Amino acid sequence: MNVSPKTTIAVTGASGQLGRLILKDLRKAAPEAEVIGLLRDPGKALDLAALGVVLRKADYEDPASLNEALRGVDRLVLVSSNEIGKRFAQHRNVIEAAKAAGVRLVVYTSLLHAPDSGLSLAPEHVQTEEALKASGLSYVILRNGWYTENYSDAIRQASQTGEFAGAAGEGRIASAARADYALAAAQAVLGAAKPGETLELAGDRAWTLGDLAVEIARFTGGPVVYKNLSVPKYAALLKAFGLPEAVADMLAGWEGEIVKGALDGQGETLRRLTGRPSTPLSETVAQLLKA
Ligand SMILES: NC(=O)c1ccc[n+]([C@@H]2O[C@H](COP(=O)([O-])OP(=O)(O)OC[C@H]3O[C@@H](n4cnc5c(N)ncnc54)[C@H](OP(=O)(O)O)[C@@H]3O)[C@@H](O)[C@H]2O)c1
């Protein structure tokens, strides 16, 4: 797919962490294209406007705003919403508006192994993938693995206290940095993925929470211990820290699925899209602890 000065590429979630990275990558990789950030509050992304990103107001809950925002858009990256439980209806609104606007390619950020995943996050992604396929739109599905940054709090806490807890045991986590998935999405919408492809994206080297403890200790120079608990005991610990019951159960439940392999994967497809190795765990740990 060629990019010309007339090509318009929009990205949802422009105020979010992944969306803004994708937009920055698009400005760098395709300076000739018109790059549009879609978001509820354009005031949240004035830094992107300064980089030449056009900002348009769009709320997943407001179909009229989506119809207006997608006018004249050729290609769209639909970054999945963070409003768990409402996401399928929100994504469906975007897909319907994209169809009405005549968008020629939709790239959707799904979840690693979505149809087979036991993670409670998976069903909304599967529903969205199915709606996208049924829409008749040309699509690329990027099934993203875990962001290494999901462990930011655990990494910071462990660097201070020398320990952190979880329930993922020997479960392998083939994570990559957000920046890796962002570059993959930018490249996919620029033509590195073929329309109709569904791609499983994961980092090059899978690790366990025990390996994470070793990396943190390597950076801090002090001992760091990973305490592995059962899923119910980890949920109870999270509740004792003040997390709402439903959130604690959800997070602990994910750890149980990690043990079963929900986040293990291979790095070659991500590497093919980005043209580089995924960011090593050690590098993300160092970046987080230096910040
Ligand atoms: N693979 C992983 O490890 C992982 C981890 C976390 C999340 N995710 C998924 O990947 C997505 C991107 O990650 P992220 O780190 O960029 O998440 P994030 O920083 O939380 O960004 C989420 C974006 O969704 C937008 N949004 C929420 N509700 C909306 C609505 N009704 N209308 C329009 N926009 C709405 C937010 O806009 P506002 O600024 O207006 O709230 C924000 O821009 C997440 O939303 C989630 O689906 C994946």
Side-chain angles (χ1 to χ4, degrees):
M1 281 183 119
N2 292 331
V3 176
S4 77
K6 287 189 186 149
T7 308
T8 48
I9 308 173
V11 179
T12 71
S15 54
Q17 300 164 91
L18 186 72
R20 59 176 47 246
L21 290 172
I22 299 171
L23 285 158
K24 286 181 184 172
D25 285 334
L26 285 172
R27 285 294 295 148
K28 262 191 236 151
E32 67 278 35
E34 184 176 7
V35 174
I36 303 171
L38 305 182
L39 71 177
R40 285 190 278 202
D41 175 4
K44 278 188 174 177
L46 297 178
D47 57 318
L48 292 176
L51 296 176
V53 174
V54 175
L55 299 177
R56 291 189 187 172
K57 213 170 142 78
D59 186 333
Y60 297 146
E61 304 271 340
D62 176 3
S65 76
L66 295 169
N67 288 335
E68 186 61 30
L70 289 175
R71 190 170 298 186
V73 167
D74 297 317
R75 306 182 203 174
L76 172 68
V77 180
L78 169 52
V79 172
S80 55
S81 170
N82 60 2
E83 299 189 312
I84 295 173
K86 294 184 181 175
R87 298 194 288 182
F88 173 53
Q90 295 181 339
H91 297 161
R92 194 175 46 199
N93 286 344
V94 179
I95 291 166
E96 281 169 8
K99 193 155 187 205
V103 171
R104 289 188 291 139
L105 176 69
V106 177
V107 175
Y108 173 63
T109 63
S110 181
L111 174 70
L112 191 65
H113 314 309
D116 304 315
S117 178
L119 290 170
S120 60
L121 298 164
E124 288 182 299
H125 286 295
V126 174
Q127 286 176 300
T128 304
E129 289 188 7
E130 285 169 357
L132 194 49
K133 288 177 186 170
S135 71
L137 285 159
S138 182
Y139 67 85
V140 170
I141 292 167
L142 301 178
R143 290 192 182 143
N144 288 350
W146 238 212
Y147 306 153
T148 309
E149 291 90 339
N150 292 348
Y151 294 92
S152 304
D153 288 347
I155 291 167
R156 289 200 190 95
Q157 184 213 319
S159 74
Q160 287 162 10
T161 63
E163 62 175 44
F164 68 103
E170 292 300 308
R172 289 161 58 82
I173 303 167
S175 73
R178 244 191 215 93
D180 300 323
Y181 297 110
L183 183 56
Q187 290 300 327
V189 81
L190 290 174
K194 289 196 204 87
E197 274 189 316
T198 297
L199 301 173
E200 304 280 350
L201 302 186
D204 287 322
R205 204 181 139 257
W207 45 272
T208 65
L209 291 180
D211 297 331
L212 177 60
V214 171
E215 286 301 342
I216 302 166
R218 205 194 304 275
F219 186 85
T220 61
V224 173
V225 175
Y226 166 60
K227 288 168 75 175
N228 195 55
L229 307 174
S230 66
V231 168
K233 283 201 171 132
Y234 183 51
L237 179 73
L238 294 175
K239 286 170 208 168
F241 283 149
L243 262 69
E245 188 162 342
V247 176
D249 288 340
M250 179 180 75
L251 296 178
W254 294 350
E255 300 270 303
E257 296 303 322
I258 292 174
V259 176
K260 297 181 204 157
L263 294 176
D264 199 2
Q266 304 292 324
E268 63 187 53
T269 310
L270 178 59
R271 214 166 47 238
R272 171 167 74 75
L273 288 181
T274 62
R276 68 180 194 207
S278 62
T279 308
L281 175 63
S282 56
E283 200 173 310
T284 303
V285 168
Q287 274 169 8
L288 287 167
L289 292 179
K290 274 188 216 150

